[in-house]
């Protein structure tokens, strides 16, 4: 239900490996697969922003580790 | 989401009644002996996380991440809600980056270890001392 409150706002998603995504949360399901929009992908180790994806992405919930609502990511 | 999880077990007991009807129409409530009465508390967590509510705990994930924060909430799938979270990166020495500010949801399937920060101390590496 906490995630329910984030729908429509920015969310920062951290995967189990060193990948992070920030974007607007459009929705999710029981397995916490997430649909995000206006997504920016960050690789933590090389410390560089890699891709900026629009057009809605589906993020596989299998690898999602942490969800941080209302955050812009690693302090941009 | 959590509601649908709790909807599972009650539906299971109804399913037991289905094949029972085909076996013997007469027996309704008789042979419930072999099946243990499902009066167990619904919260069947092995670990009673309510002990840790509002306490600072350390959580380790698969993938080698380590995080500390104050436990604010949890559910049966072991998803956690932590407040004031700090992520621990171990490169040479412990480098902490307080990147995660405020509230964080931790996914249950990725959690491998939970322990309270209270009474946790770092000791010299015992494996190095062998040399």
């Amino acid at each position: 239900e906490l995630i329910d409150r984030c729908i429509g706002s920015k969310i920062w998603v951290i995967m189990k490996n060193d990948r992070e995504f920030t974007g607007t949360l459009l929705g999710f399901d029981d397995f916490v697969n997430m649909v995000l929009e206006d997504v920016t992908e960050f690789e933590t180790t090389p410390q560089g922003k890699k891709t900026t994806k629009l057009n809605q992405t589906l993020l596989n919930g299998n690898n999602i580790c942490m969800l941080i609502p209302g955050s812009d990511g690693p302090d941009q | 989401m959590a509601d649908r999880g709790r909807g599972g077990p009650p539906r299971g007991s109804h399913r037991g009644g289905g094949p029972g009807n085909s076996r013997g129409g007469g027996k309704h409530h008789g042979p419930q002996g072999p099946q243990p009465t499902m009066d167990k508390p619904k919260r069947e967590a092995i670990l009673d996380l309510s002990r840790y509510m509002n306490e600072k705990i350390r959580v380790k994930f698969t993938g080698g991440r380590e995080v500390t924060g104050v436990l604010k909430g949890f559910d049966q799938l072991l998803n956690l809600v932590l407040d004031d979270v700090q992520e621990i990166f171990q490169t040479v020495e412990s480098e902490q980056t307080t990147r995660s500010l405020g509230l964080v949801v931790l996914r249950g399937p990725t959690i491998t270890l939970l322990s309270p920060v209270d009474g946790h101390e770092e000791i010299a590496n015992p494996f190095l001392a062998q040399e």
Side-chain angles (χ1 to χ4, degrees), chain A:
Chain A
E1 41 161 279
L2 190 64
I3 315 179
D4 268 326
R5 292 200 270 143
C6 304
I7 296 185
S9 48
K10 285 222 147 200
I11 194 167
W12 179 14
V13 182
I14 303 184
M15 321 296 276
K16 287 197 268 192
N17 47 24
D18 293 310
R19 249 183 236 264
E20 308 175 9
F21 295 85
T22 57
T24 314
L25 178 61
L26 294 181
F28 65 98
D29 63 2
D30 272 352
F31 305 101
V32 201
N33 299 314
M34 313 192 81
V35 178
L36 304 174
E37 196 167 40
D38 199 7
V39 177
T40 318
E41 175 180 353
F42 296 91
E43 295 257 2
T44 309
T45 15
Q47 291 259 340
K49 181 176 78 171
K50 280 189 76 176
T51 32
T52 310
K53 299 169 284 195
L54 191 57
N55 295 335
Q56 294 192 17
T57 55
L58 173 67
L59 207 51
N60 195 338
N62 265 330
N63 295 305
I64 292 182
C65 189
M66 290 191 265
L67 306 164
I68 305 154
S71 180
D72 278 335
D75 277 335
Q76 282 248 325

Side-chain angles (χ1 to χ4, degrees), chain B residues 23-122:
Chain B
R23 253 186 285 143
K27 314 180 198 175
H28 284 303
H29 309 286
Q32 291 227 339
Q35 276 189 13
T37 49
M38 308 291 270
D39 276 344
K40 294 185 212 159
K42 289 188 183 165
R43 160 170 304 200
E44 263 228 66
I46 307 169
L47 173 63
D48 188 14
L49 281 177
S50 51
R51 291 196 303 151
Y52 290 114
M53 280 295 287
N54 292 315
E55 291 209 11
K56 195 137 201 223
I57 55 172
R58 194 165 68 105
V59 182
K60 283 202 193 189
F61 306 100
T62 65
R65 286 186 189 267
E66 213 175 308
V67 144
T68 57
V70 180
L71 181 64
K72 286 291 176 185
F74 58 92
D75 66 4
Q76 286 196 343
L77 306 173
L78 211 58
N79 298 316
L80 305 179
V81 177
L82 294 190
D83 204 353
D84 195 19
V85 166
Q86 291 157 345
E87 200 170 341
I88 302 178
F89 294 120
Q90 290 270 352
T91 48
V92 184
E93 292 293 325
S94 179
E95 282 181 26
Q96 273 202 34
T97 46
T98 319
R99 309 192 293 150
S100 328
L101 46 98
L103 224 50
V104 172
V105 174
L106 306 178
R107 293 280 289 126
T110 66
I111 294 175
T112 55
L113 180 149
L114 289 167
S115 72
V117 170
D118 226 1
H120 152 260
E121 58 179 61
E122 200 164 315

Side-chain angles (χ1 to χ4, degrees), chain B residues 15-27:
Chain B
R15 249 186 279 139
N21 282 335
S22 60
R23 253 186 285 143
K27 314 180 198 175

